[in-house]
């Protein structure tokens, strides 16, 4: 019980610090793509609890295009991320048809992820063997999922834009665009859950003490 309690306290403090760092970067006037790539690489295992390991691109000597880091989930499947900035434009309006389409920057990012997925699928056996040899991990490269982290909800000025983003996201094949503030909100919910479990633990200890 004491070990679990200390673990929860440590996780709460670490996550709270990560959220504060995230908010500081998110609200900064100047945004740097490399800084965000480094930041998310550092914290992705705590941001996304379904991941257990990260493979660095520098450890992959295969020919082809790969992102800076490749997360491995709890089932040993490989995912692929492309990191842009919170102020990266998301959508443009086609006035003649009154609908939205991906911005130039997002279109490029999505195309880049499609390229990563192509190379990962094409070199799946070699990729598995290389990671097994260098990292000691038995991964699975079976239709990897691709994610683009970019933009924020502040860009979605009305319901039509929100609907447009949802429609465009649903039309992508095995790729999803994730907004920065969605990640931040999910982290805050996770922190409240950790704090809630810590409060419940204290209440149980108090009840035992009264008996």
């Amino acid at each position: 019980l004491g070990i679990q309690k200390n673990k929860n306290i440590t996780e709460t403090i670490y996550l709270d610090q990560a959220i504060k760092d995230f908010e500081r970067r998110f609200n900064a006037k100047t945004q740097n793509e490399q800084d965000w790539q480094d930041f998310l690489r550092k914290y992705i295992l705590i941001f996304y609890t379904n991941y257990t390991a990260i493979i660095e691109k520098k450890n992959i000597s295969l020919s082809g295009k790969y992102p800076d880091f490749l997360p491995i989930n709890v089932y040993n499947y490989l995912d692929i991320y492309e990191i842009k900035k919170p102020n990266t434009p998301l959508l443009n309006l086609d006035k003649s048809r009154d609908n939205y389409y991906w911005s130039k920057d997002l279109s490029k990012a999505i195309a880049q992820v499609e390229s990563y997925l192509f190379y990962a699928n094409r070199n799946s056996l070699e990729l598995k063997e290389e990671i097994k040899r260098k990292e000691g991990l038995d991964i699975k490269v079976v239709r990897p999922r691709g994610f683009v982290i970019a933009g924020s909800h502040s860009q979605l000025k009305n319901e039509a834009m929100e609907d447009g983003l949802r429609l465009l996201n649903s039309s992508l094949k095995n790729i999803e665009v994730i907004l920065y503030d969605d990640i931040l909100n999910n982290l805050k919910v996770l922190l409240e859950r950790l704090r809630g479990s810590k409060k419940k633990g204290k209440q149980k200890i108090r009840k035992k003490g009264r008996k």
Side-chain angles (χ1 to χ4, degrees):
L1 181 63
I3 294 174
Q4 183 61 44
K5 179 184 175 182
N6 290 335
K7 182 174 181 292
N8 287 345
I9 292 172
T10 301
E11 288 178 349
T12 301
I13 294 171
Y14 187 68
L15 182 56
D16 184 51
Q17 291 174 343
I19 289 173
K20 289 177 180 176
D21 194 4
F22 194 119
E23 289 179 320
R24 179 182 60 79
R25 293 169 182 271
F26 183 73
N27 294 319
K29 292 181 179 180
T30 303
Q31 299 286 338
N32 183 285
E33 194 170 295
Q34 185 60 55
D35 285 347
W36 275 110
Q37 290 174 356
D38 295 340
F39 176 77
L40 291 171
R41 181 195 295 112
K42 177 181 177 180
Y43 286 113
I44 196 166
L45 296 185
I46 191 170
F47 288 178
Y48 292 99
T49 55
N50 59 317
Y51 291 127
T52 59
I54 292 176
I55 307 300
E56 300 281 349
K57 181 175 72 172
K58 62 185 179 183
N59 294 334
I60 301 173
S61 60
L62 297 176
S63 61
K65 299 178 181 179
Y66 296 97
D68 289 335
F69 62 97
L70 304 165
I72 310 299
N73 71 18
V74 293
Y75 303 105
N76 296 322
Y77 286 101
L78 175 146
D79 285 341
I80 287 174
Y81 280 78
E82 174 72 359
I83 312 300
K84 307 307 289 182
K85 297 182 292 185
N87 58 2
T88 299
L90 294 171
L91 305 176
N92 290 331
L93 174 63
D94 182 347
K95 294 181 180 179
S96 64
R97 300 185 180 182
D98 195 29
N99 59 21
Y100 289 91
Y101 59 96
W102 294 121
S103 71
K104 182 179 179 180
D105 289 338
L106 251 294
S107 295
K108 285 183 178 180
I110 291 167
Q112 186 65 67
V113 173
E114 289 173 341
S115 177
Y116 292 149
L117 294 174
F118 170 78
Y119 281 105
N121 280 309
R122 189 177 76 169
N123 301 324
S124 60
L125 292 177
E126 294 90 339
L127 187 57
K128 287 173 61 177
E129 291 173 1
E130 177 108 346
I131 291 173
K132 172 65 175 177
R133 180 170 60 85
K134 291 189 174 181
E135 305 289 336
L137 297 173
D138 287 311
I139 71 160
K140 302 174 184 178
V141 186
V142 181
R143 292 181 60 81
R145 297 178 304 165
F147 300 92
V148 178
I149 299 179
S152 70
H153 279 278
S154 63
Q155 298 182 37
L156 307 178
K157 303 298 184 181
N158 50 54
E159 188 174 344
M161 291 190 77
E162 293 175 359
D163 292 345
L165 176 67
R166 184 177 179 85
L167 288 170
L168 288 169
N169 237 338
S170 64
S171 68
L172 295 174
K173 186 178 180 181
N174 220 31
I175 298 175
E176 180 182 357
V177 174
I178 301 173
L179 308 190
Y180 273 88
D181 38 0
D182 282 337
I183 298 175
L184 182 57
N185 290 335
N186 289 338
L187 291 176
K188 290 179 178 180
V189 169
L190 176 59
L191 180 61
E192 287 306 310
R193 286 178 182 171
L194 286 172
R195 285 173 171 165
S197 64
K198 189 167 69 172
K199 288 178 181 178
K200 288 180 181 178
K202 288 181 179 179
Q203 289 173 354
K204 287 181 180 179
I205 292 171
R206 286 172 184 168
K207 287 180 180 179
K208 287 180 180 179
R210 290 171 183 170
K211 289 181 180 180

